[in-house]
């Protein structure tokens, strides 16, 4: 006991000594820095000669401020921050709870009242007090603005989902209002639809990788199955998009099962290799089975989707959307329709994922990711659990694929290379495995970021006219991944939302969840 | 199956001539024992005696080389465990187990761990996901009941305050209790515990004794446990089986086993004059293997 107290005193003594030492260093450094800036001033005297005016007093003030500041920082501020960390750990609050202690509603009201009072009485104050009153008023206003900003941030984070969906629904309307129908094409198609396709694919893959913990490097195969089943069935049998959309999903799910069976016993790296091979097999079959798939030339003229068969987007069709409403002809309507279609499909994926997580099958997936042997000891059939994960993940890939075919009007094996699988997997990992919001943000950053690179014309003025920023997109993609993995190794959203709770819903820290054995 | 019921109805588990070979190693050699319904049966023996292998054979993680494991349910149904896949042993035969090195779902909360254990029941209630996905009330009702059952076991295991924390965040003793609670949520008739008291301090193992006794008293579940901690074994078990080098060396009440010279020899070593016997025995065994 005496030992620990003496160590405590020793620690306190050490701290003071260290603070004094650091203060001395700071004083020396500031002396060195300021001696020529502040300590000596060049001036002209009455005879127009250049003289040096020593200002030792001012220099001393500068040095003393630096020393005192350094001393207070070492002796008081740093231990205080460290103790706050301990308090944070003890209360289980997140590190930003410092801010929640600093910005409180009563303080905010008090600050507003103070600034209002200061403004009201500013006139009647004598001059010498008025200066101080101005400072206090300024501080109060700054504090209340900071409070407002903080509360706004809290509001955004707590209502993120609703706000994000509302923003996405309004997005095409705002874009059309700003850029006009024709100018909106780029923004709706390249940014909106392109990002949402990747969001949907990543959410689909998230079921397999994020929830069930089965590393799938060949996810793009199911995207290809969906795209080709729509392209082939619509051009051969003339079936409509709305019939083929579920069919593409079912076919992709079927292929998911086919992949699932042989890999049931595989784990980790071995599973990754076999799924990678599966993705390549599908692509090579599409490339070489030319009688059916038309080989590398691909299938062109794939039918467009219609609004439930009521309005069509074919220019020649009598029920053309623009004609029916007497609008000028433009391809923008089709793009805007596609935007809402992929938004609806992506939200369906999210809804099903959220629902499934609360069902026994979703919990079994997550349990499978945590410990497969324990799952078996609890009577969970791991075979069917894995197969359903593969099938449902593949189904959403198939939906996205048939959408892709309807959007492009053209499919070829070139769209389904391994790089696509890698990008989708990278989005899932960057976003934080299992987190829908994190994945959506990651998709927006990764896909939107590479699209924005095309827009950066001003870089040509810096690096010369030969510079094409698109060529560097993979480099930047890689740098971004490294940076994110260094700072947030569990992805943007590393924590996990529990699916059920008794007293309060607490996020599970990423340090407890496992990535799965493969 | 035409099991001539030589076993009477109060036998829950009957292991007959069980042998397990790993390559040339005979881990279990012609091992037979019976566990009575509603009793606590302990399986003890020095390290490497093959206790966990017996467990893995009973719970289906290993397929025995030879022998028969019969589970006799309260309803009179009989199961040949060596023929069932591991998950069906828990699902149909109602045998639950815990692990020597704790296997919890550390990233799921304590409550979720107990809900995963009720998977099969909830799967049926949710119409194999389809009805639940469409929001049918049967699943909501079943989910509520599942949470009630989980709550019951959380209270028993004294974990109710930690229900919403990740399982990986619990202390070692609490994780052991949670694993037992999770196994009980599957509604077993026979609960197999692999070293439940390993790593527990005396107070925690006393609490464990109380928990195991109350499990037996309240649910009528029979217990089979592997244990090294003699304070647990001798205090709570009704029946002790001793295993050494894959063979049964003693079988009886705790007092009988405690005074059995073979058991004492196995645990404490043998007197000097008996060493020669032991050496010759070992040589004959090695000869048998070659």
């Amino acid at each position: 006991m005496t030992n620990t107290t003496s160590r405590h005193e020793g620690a306190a003594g050490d701290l003071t000594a260290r603070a004094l030492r650091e203060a001395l260093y700071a004083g020396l450094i500031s002396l060195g820095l300021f001696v020529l800036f502040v300590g000596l001033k060049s001036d002209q005297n009455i005879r127009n000669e250049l003289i040096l005016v020593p200002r030792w007093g001012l220099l001393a003030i500068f040095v003393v401020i630096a020393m005192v500041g350094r001393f207070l920082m070492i002796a008081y501020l740093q231990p205080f921050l460290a103790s706050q960390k301990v308090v944070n750990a003890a209360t289980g609050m997140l590190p930003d709870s410092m801010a929640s202690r600093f910005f409180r509603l009563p303080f905010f009201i008090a600050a507003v009242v103070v600034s209002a009072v200061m403004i009201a009485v500013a006139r009647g104050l004598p001059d010498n007090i008025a200066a101080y009153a101005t400072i206090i008023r300024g501080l109060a206003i700054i504090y209340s603005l900071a409070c407002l900003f903080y509360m706004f941030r809290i509001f955004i984070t707590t209502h993120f989902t609703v706000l994000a969906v509302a923003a996405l629904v309004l997005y095409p309307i705002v874009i059309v209002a700003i850029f006009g129908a024709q100018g909106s094409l780029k923004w709706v198609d390249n940014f909106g639809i392109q990002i949402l396709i990747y969001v949907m694919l990543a959410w689909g893959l998230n079921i397999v990788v994020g929830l069930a913990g089965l590393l799938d490097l060949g996810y793009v195969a199911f995207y290809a199955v969906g795209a080709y089943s729509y392209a082939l069935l619509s051009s051969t049998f003339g079936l409509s998009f709305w019939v083929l959309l579920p069919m593409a999903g079912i076919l992709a799910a079927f292929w998911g099962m086919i992949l699932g069976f042989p890999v049931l016993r595989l784990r980790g790296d071995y599973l990754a290799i076999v799924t990678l091979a599966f993705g390549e097999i599908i692509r090579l079959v599409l490339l070489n089975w030319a009688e059916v798939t038309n080989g590398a030339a691909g299938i062109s003229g794939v039918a467009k989707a219609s609004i439930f068969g009521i309005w069509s987007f074919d220019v020649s069709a009598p029920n053309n959307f623009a004609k029916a409403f007497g609008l000028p002809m433009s391809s923008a309507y089709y793009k805007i329709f596609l935007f809402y279609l992929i938004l609806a499909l992506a939200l369906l994926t999210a809804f099903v994922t959220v629902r499934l997580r609360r069902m026994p099958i979703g919990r079994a997936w997550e349990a499978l990711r945590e410990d497969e042997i324990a799952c078996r000891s609890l009577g969970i059939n791991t075979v069917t659990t894995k197969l359903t994960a593969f099938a449902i993940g593949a189904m959403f890939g198939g939906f996205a694929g048939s959408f892709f075919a309807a959007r492009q009007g053209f499919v070829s094996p070139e769209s389904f290379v391994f790089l696509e699988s890698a990008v989708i997997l990278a989005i899932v990992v960057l976003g934080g495995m299992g987190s829908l919001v994190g994945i959506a943000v990651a998709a927006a950053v990764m896909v939107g970021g590479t699209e924005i690179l095309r827009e950066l014309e001003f870089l040509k003025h810096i690096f010369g006219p030969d510079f094409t920023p698109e060529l560097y997109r993979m480099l930047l993609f890689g740098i971004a991944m490294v940076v994110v993995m260094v700072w947030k190794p569990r992805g943007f959203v590393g924590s996990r939302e529990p699916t059920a709770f008794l007293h309060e819903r607490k996020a599970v820290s990423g340090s407890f969840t496992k990535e799965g054995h493969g | 199956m035409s099991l001539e019921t030589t076993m009477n109805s109060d036998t829950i588990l009957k292991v007959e001539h069980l042998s397990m070979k790993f390559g040339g190693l005979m881990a279990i050699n012609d091992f037979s024992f019976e566990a009575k319904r509603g009793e606590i049966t302990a399986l003890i023996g020095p390290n490497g005696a093959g206790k966990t292998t017996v467990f893995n054979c009973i719970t289906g993680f290993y397929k025995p080389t030879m022998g028969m494991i019969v589970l006799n349910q309260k309803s009179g149904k009989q199961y040949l465990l060596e023929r069932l896949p591991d998950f069906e042993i828990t699902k149909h035969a109602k045998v639950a187990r815990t692990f020597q090195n704790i296997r919890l779902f550390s990233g799921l909360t304590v409550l979720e761990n107990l809900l995963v254990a009720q998977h099969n029941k909830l799967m049926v209630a949710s119409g194999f996901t389809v009805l639940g996905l469409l929001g049918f009330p049967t699943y909501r009702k079943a989910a509520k009941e599942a949470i009630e059952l989980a709550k019951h076991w959380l209270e028993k295991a004294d974990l109710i305050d930690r229900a919403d924390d990740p399982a990986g965040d619990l202390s070692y003793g609490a994780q052991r209790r949670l694993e037992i609670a999770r196994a009980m949520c599957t509604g077993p008739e026979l609960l197999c515990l692999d070293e439940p008291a390993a790593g527990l301090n005396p107070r925690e193992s006393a609490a464990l004794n109380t928990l195991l006794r109350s499990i037996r008293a309240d649910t009528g579940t029979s217990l089979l446990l592997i244990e090294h901690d003699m304070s647990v074994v001798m205090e709570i078990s009704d029946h002790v089986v001793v295993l050494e080098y894959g063979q049964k060396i003693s079988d009886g009440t705790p007092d009988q086993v405690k005074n059995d010279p073979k058991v004492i020899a196995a645990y404490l070593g043998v007197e000097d004059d008996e060493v020669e016997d032991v050496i010759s025995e070992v040589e004959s065994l090695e000869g048998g293997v070659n």
Side-chain angles (χ1 to χ4, degrees), chain B residues 5 19 21 27 53 112 164 166 172 180 207 219 237 243 260 273:
Chain B
T5 354
S19 295
K21 234 183 195 174
T53 309
E112 284 176 307
D164 299 321
Y172 194 77
I180 295 171
T219 64
S237 47
L243 201 61
D260 188 328
D273 53 342

Side-chain angles (χ1 to χ4, degrees), chain A residues 276-301:
Chain A
L276 173 75
F278 179 79
E280 286 301 290
I281 289 170
I282 294 274
R283 189 177 68 84
L284 290 174
V285 167
L286 293 176
L287 197 59
N288 292 303
W289 195 12
E291 306 91 85
V292 176
T293 63
N294 203 18
I299 302 167
S300 51

Side-chain angles (χ1 to χ4, degrees), chain A residues 355-356 358-361 363-364 366-367 370-371 373-381 496 498-504 506 508 512-514, chain B residues 61 86-87 90 99 103 105-109 111-112 115-116 119-120 122-123 129 132-133 139 147 151 160 163-166 168-169 182 186:
Chain A
R355 258 277 163 85
L356 282 178
R358 296 193 196 127
M359 311 276 288
I361 187 72
R363 293 208 187 102
E366 292 202 73
E370 300 288 320
D371 194 324
I373 289 178
C375 269
R376 298 215 303 258
S377 85
L378 295 174
I380 295 173
N381 186 344
R496 173 185 169 272
T499 60
F501 63 98
L502 218 51
H503 311 297
E504 70 174 308
K506 291 186 220 167
V508 175
F512 292 114
T513 51
K514 301 200 171 106
Chain B
F61 283 86
D86 45 18
F87 73 92
T90 310
F99 294 88
R103 283 183 176 276
F105 307 122
S106 58
L108 308 190
T109 66
L111 179 69
E112 284 176 307
L115 294 179
V116 171
H119 176 81
N120 290 314
L122 288 174
M123 209 57 183
T129 314
L133 203 57
Y139 174 62
I147 289 186
K151 231 166 144 179
I160 193 82
D164 299 321
D165 290 328
D169 202 16
R182 188 181 68 178
T186 63

Side-chain angles (χ1 to χ4, degrees), chain A residues 10 22 34-35 52 54 56 143 147-148 170 205 265 274 314 321 356 385 426 457-458 466 481 485 494 510:
Chain A
E22 294 260 339
F34 290 122
V35 68
L52 283 174
W56 304 126
Y143 178 77
C147 268
L148 271 183
L170 293 177
L205 182 62
R265 290 155 172 274
V274 175
D314 278 332
F321 182 79
L356 282 178
T385 308
E457 281 300 308
F458 72 89
D466 295 338
M481 279 206 69
M485 285 295 114

